[in-house]
Amino acid sequence: MNNHNYTRQSTGKLMVFIFEGDKVKPIMGAKVTITGHNQNVTQQSNESGQTNTVDLPAGEPYFEYTVNVSASGYNDVKFEGVQVVPNITGIQEIQMTPSIRRDNFRSTEEHKVPPHKLTQPEAIKPDIDPIAIPDPQPQPLPLPQTRPEGPLILIPEYIIVHCGAPQEPAPKYKVKFTDYITKVACAETYPGWHREALIANILCITSYTLNKIFTQAYTGFDVTCLIQFDLKYNHVQTTYKQIIEIVDTIFNLYIKHPDPVKNQPLLAEYRAHYTRQKPCKLGQFKSQELAKQGYNHQDILNYFYDLCYGPLKIASAAGVIFQGRSSTPPETILKEGSSGSDVRKIQVMLNEISKNYSKIPKINADGKFGSITTKAVKTFQQIFNIHQDGNVDFRTWYKMSAIYYSILEYR
Amino acid sequence: MYYNTHFNPYFNNVIAHRLVNPDQIVNLEGFYVDIELDNGQKICNAKLDYVSPEPDETQAIYGDVTYTIFSAGQPYTYQTNTRKITRISQSGVPGAVCSDGMRSCKF
């Protein structure tokens, strides 16, 4: 009998989500092959475009796998460098392109997920003093169709990401605001970090991004995807459930500017290795250390920033924008037993979404939140990685609205 | 380069008068654009929020366009129609409608 020296191998989980458009049309029956680290796993996507969650060997900080996808009517896709992190569920979103050729002659699109920022040397970035950034000045405008009611921070539906130096021509991506924050957070933090450290880092990312949008730092786009100028954005980044959950919960929060006269969010910068010093920036590895010592996200932010600005305040955006208009979420959490026009609105949205996501049951849009509506909400939450409680809170409402408006736009 | 419908390659074509129809600008939805209207007004660095998907020219909503201009960080939303647009281009690129560096409205 052989004496094997068994060592316990860490594993991570991976789910592949395959769709057309901006998650508007899930692709069912796609063949997905995951290879690497002596693994060769084949899966098929379900009616929601998702594979089963697969256990894969993983090591610190992550193992890289190759994912190949083929689906009838679409170009084949090959993703290299898909990141699987120990004890974490990763989601690799793959957007497919309809093929104009017959299946036998389809071309293959190849993509590589770049290495995680924290495994790379620190980028050299110019120091910017957030205090010196002026608020943009008002300009004379004709009477608009809609007029804001004061200096408000609104969450845009999309942001435009310029993948090049600001002054140089480069491709641009139109990215949902929450997807942008999620992918930056997944590219610039480790998903296994303490929740409070992740929240502190994500608040910096959101605040930084909203500052760039509010101050109109660039013409023709909102941010660059280059770390030398802004935050690192990879369109093909592997995402992680822990980070998606936090971003979906706090994407409308930002750090207020310490100057009460200014309306812009704080340009909250961070570096991988940084200590409490001037100019103030958050130190990412130190933030994890502090969280493990019991600091909450507010304590962590103050640890780094109060040296320059005093205690920081977290504020909530005044609203969210869909199709260029400010949208108001329901005033209360909608749940079984609720009724009224807000319930009817979410029923209409769910019915529209269910035309593409057939797992979501059809509802009679009668404005009454009954058991079928609860089932539809839970199914929606399951597909989009939201805790399945069947209630429509701000987070579920926002995700539902985002998918609904994307579907309308895609038609 | 990763393809998606929300990806715009470097787009510096200026679509000229009478060539602007909704089909041509629907891919600019969500992006920053420069617009010249038939009264000569130039709108620079506006976010193109919405282009009506109505394909029938006889319908009232055909060509309806909504765009947002940011002033002092605040969004101001306007509506127009492709019939009133003489030129439109992506903002901030060489040859754009407002390529003289202006980033706001000209009246």
Side-chain angles (χ1 to χ4, degrees):
Chain A
M1 192 173 171
N2 291 330
N3 272 333
H4 289 289
N5 203 1
Y6 289 105
T7 53
R8 193 166 176 166
Q9 169 74 61
S10 292
T11 59
K13 293 177 190 293
L14 182 67
M15 187 266 273
V16 183
F17 183 10
I18 303 145
F19 50 83
E20 185 186 325
D22 203 352
K23 292 180 208 156
V24 298
K25 190 175 168 190
I27 297 172
M28 183 182 175
K31 185 185 169 196
V32 179
T33 310
I34 305 166
T35 52
H37 299 278
N38 298 321
Q39 304 294 305
N40 191 336
V41 182
T42 301
Q43 290 275 310
Q44 206 166 39
S45 58
N46 62 18
E47 70 267 50
S48 303
Q50 298 172 339
T51 65
N52 291 333
T53 302
V54 179
D55 282 311
L56 295 164
E60 295 293 343
Y62 55 83
F63 276 4
E64 292 185 346
Y65 287 85
T66 298
V67 174
N68 284 282
V69 182
S70 63
S72 181
Y74 295 90
N75 290 338
D76 291 343
V77 171
K78 181 180 183 183
F79 266 53
E80 290 182 320
V82 172
Q83 297 165 4
V84 176
V85 179
N87 307 312
I88 298 287
T89 301
I91 298 169
Q92 187 61 53
E93 295 181 348
I94 296 184
Q95 186 176 19
M96 304 287 279
T97 311
S99 174
I100 51 170
R101 295 179 170 193
R102 283 180 296 165
D103 278 6
N104 292 346
F105 300 99
R106 284 185 308 217
S107 53
T108 301
E109 297 168 17
E110 295 189 8
H111 311 287
K112 172 117 179 67
V113 181
H116 195 282
K117 186 199 94 164
L118 295 176
T119 65
Q120 304 295 302
E122 189 96 89
I124 297 166
K125 299 172 91 166
D127 271 329
I128 303 168
D129 178 10
I131 297 296
I133 303 171
D135 271 359
Q137 293 302 303
Q139 50 177 308
L141 293 175
L143 198 64
Q145 268 78 24
T146 64
R147 181 197 295 268
E149 291 172 359
L152 304 171
I153 299 295
L154 297 168
I155 302 295
E157 183 177 4
Y158 293 102
I159 65 170
I160 305 302
V161 185
H162 178 84
C163 275
Q167 301 303 328
E168 290 171 9
K172 292 180 174 68
Y173 289 102
K174 174 184 166 187
V175 188
K176 280 207 179 78
F177 183 77
T178 46
D179 286 348
Y180 173 81
I181 301 293
T182 300
K183 286 184 180 173
V184 170
C186 291
E188 296 215 338
T189 65
Y190 283 139
W193 275 359
H194 193 286
R195 183 180 167 83
E196 292 299 323
L198 289 174
I199 292 174
N201 279 264
I202 290 167
L203 281 168
C204 289
I205 294 168
T206 308
S207 224
Y208 182 101
T209 306
L210 288 173
N211 174 283
K212 289 281 178 164
I213 296 168
F214 186 90
T215 59
Q216 294 182 274
Y218 304 112
T219 300
F221 54 92
D222 296 306
V223 287
T224 72
C225 68
L226 301 180
I227 201 162
Q228 295 89 332
F229 303 99
D230 292 307
L231 308 173
K232 181 176 176 174
Y233 173 78
N234 308 320
H235 200 64
V236 296
Q237 175 67 43
T238 313
T239 56
Y240 307 102
K241 266 192 169 178
Q242 281 84 341
I243 289 178
I244 293 170
E245 189 267 318
I246 295 172
V247 172
D248 284 349
T249 310
I250 65 163
F251 70 90
N252 61 332
L253 301 182
Y254 64 92
I255 304 167
K256 272 181 82 76
H257 197 284
D259 181 349
V261 176
K262 289 191 175 171
N263 296 312
Q264 62 185 274
L266 180 70
L267 189 86
E269 289 199 277
Y270 54 81
R271 298 283 188 269
H273 301 280
Y274 205 76
T275 53
R276 188 172 187 268
Q277 58 178 305
K278 288 183 178 178
C280 294
K281 303 177 202 307
L282 178 134
Q284 292 188 276
F285 281 101
K286 184 72 181 172
S287 71
Q288 162 68 354
E289 205 181 303
L290 294 172
K292 285 204 286 193
Q293 289 171 24
Y295 282 56
N296 67 24
H297 61 272
Q298 182 86 49
D299 298 335
I300 293 169
L301 292 171
N302 283 333
Y303 173 87
F304 291 104
Y305 287 109
D306 73 351
L307 198 61
C308 299
Y309 313 127
L312 293 179
K313 287 182 185 157
I314 310 291
S316 180
V320 296
I321 295 175
F322 286 112
Q323 291 197 322
R325 296 184 187 92
S326 181
S327 289
T328 320
E331 286 179 3
T332 56
I333 294 174
L334 304 176
K335 51 189 170 190
E336 201 158 326
S338 303
S339 60
S341 59
D342 283 339
V343 174
R344 194 178 170 282
K345 278 181 204 162
I346 63 134
Q347 288 172 328
V348 168
M349 288 199 282
L350 283 167
N351 278 340
E352 195 64 40
I353 295 166
S354 73
K355 289 178 187 169
N356 292 0
Y357 288 87
S358 58
K359 200 175 168 189
I360 299 172
K362 295 274 185 300
I363 321 162
N364 180 20
D366 58 2
K368 293 174 187 164
F369 203 127
S371 58
I372 301 176
T373 306
T374 302
K375 192 178 172 199
V377 172
K378 279 188 177 174
T379 309
F380 176 85
Q381 290 171 325
Q382 182 255 318
I383 296 169
F384 292 100
N385 296 302
I386 303 170
H387 174 62
Q388 292 176 64
D389 58 7
N391 300 337
V392 180
D393 56 5
F394 175 67
R395 179 179 158 187
T396 300
W397 171 84
Y398 185 82
K399 194 77 129 189
M400 208 181 278
S401 302
I403 300 290
Y404 170 72
Y405 286 111
S406 292
I407 288 172
L408 291 190
E409 188 186 314
Y410 195 67
R411 290 205 170 129
Chain B
M1 179 53 69
Y2 188 70
Y3 175 89
N4 80 40
T5 54
H6 292 76
F7 160 74
N8 244 14
Y10 172 47
F11 181 95
N12 67 348
N13 296 333
V14 175
I15 301 168
H17 191 28
R18 279 190 283 278
L19 290 177
V20 178
N21 67 50
D23 278 355
Q24 286 173 298
I25 63 169
V26 75
N27 284 340
L28 290 172
E29 227 177 70
F31 287 86
Y32 287 95
V33 292
D34 296 344
I35 300 170
E36 187 175 57
L37 299 177
D38 56 6
N39 62 4
Q41 182 187 342
K42 281 184 182 174
I43 299 142
C44 307
N45 208 36
K47 213 165 193 177
L48 187 65
D49 297 315
Y50 173 75
V51 179
S52 169
E54 174 57 57
D56 184 352
E57 283 191 51
T58 64
Q59 298 299 309
I61 59 167
Y62 176 84
D64 278 355
V65 167
T66 305
Y67 60 90
T68 298
I69 299 169
F70 291 85
S71 173
Q74 299 308 299
Y76 293 81
T77 303
Y78 299 85
Q79 286 164 9
T80 188
N81 191 281
T82 50
R83 292 186 181 98
K84 293 181 182 172
I85 297 174
T86 52
R87 292 194 301 157
I88 184 166
S89 69
Q90 204 168 358
S91 302
V93 299
V97 171
C98 304
S99 57
D100 58 353
M102 287 289 291
R103 50 180 297 165
S104 55
C105 286
K106 289 178 180 177
F107 298 105

